[in-house]
Amino acid sequence: MDKKNYYVSVQSKTIMQHQGDAAYELEIEATPEEVIKLKELFEDVEYAEELTFSRAHFPGIPYHHDKENDAYDIYLKNVYQTLYSLGTDETKKHIQTMNVLD
């Protein structure tokens, strides 16, 4: 299947086909199946964000002692690893500067 260019906002968890539809941070080249996988990864991040909501009300819990935050970090790294593998050269360079890949 042919790959198409997509414009991705990690912040808003959106994947757009048209560059001018909304603000975006990264550009990828993906098949429809790869876009579906990325959407599923964004859903995982959304789920993990919901789990961390209650932690925000207990500031005495250190971030590094919270399994919900660990899950969020893992899901977000999965998103960035996928974006890196699908990314344009510019996207790959940007993600490398972020130090989010292991």
Side-chain angles (χ1 to χ4, degrees), residues 44-95:
D44 290 342
V45 171
E46 186 77 29
Y47 174 73
E49 282 178 349
E50 291 171 7
L51 293 178
T52 63
F53 176 77
S54 61
R55 183 204 174 277
H57 297 86
F58 299 101
I61 302 172
Y63 183 91
H64 62 284
H65 288 179
D66 189 353
K67 66 181 179 180
E68 287 82 9
N69 283 332
D70 293 341
Y72 175 81
D73 291 346
I74 290 168
Y75 289 138
L76 194 57
K77 280 185 179 185
N78 289 341
V79 166
Y80 278 108
Q81 288 171 340
T82 301
L83 290 171
Y84 182 84
S85 69
L86 299 173
T88 62
D89 289 341
E90 186 175 334
T91 294
K92 288 180 181 184
K93 287 177 188 174
H94 178 73
I95 291 173

Side-chain angles (χ1 to χ4, degrees), residues 6-16 22-26 28 35-52 72 75-76 79-80 83:
Y6 293 90
Y7 305 92
V8 179
S9 172
V10 176
Q11 184 270 330
S12 64
K13 298 173 203 64
T14 56
I15 306 164
M16 299 159 289
Y24 67 94
E25 297 97 35
L26 304 167
I28 63 171
V35 170
I36 290 169
K37 181 179 188 265
L38 184 57
K39 286 180 181 180
E40 290 171 352
L41 291 173
F42 278 145
E43 289 173 6
D44 290 342
V45 171
E46 186 77 29
Y47 174 73
E49 282 178 349
E50 291 171 7
L51 293 178
T52 63
Y72 175 81
Y75 289 138
L76 194 57
V79 166
Y80 278 108
L83 290 171

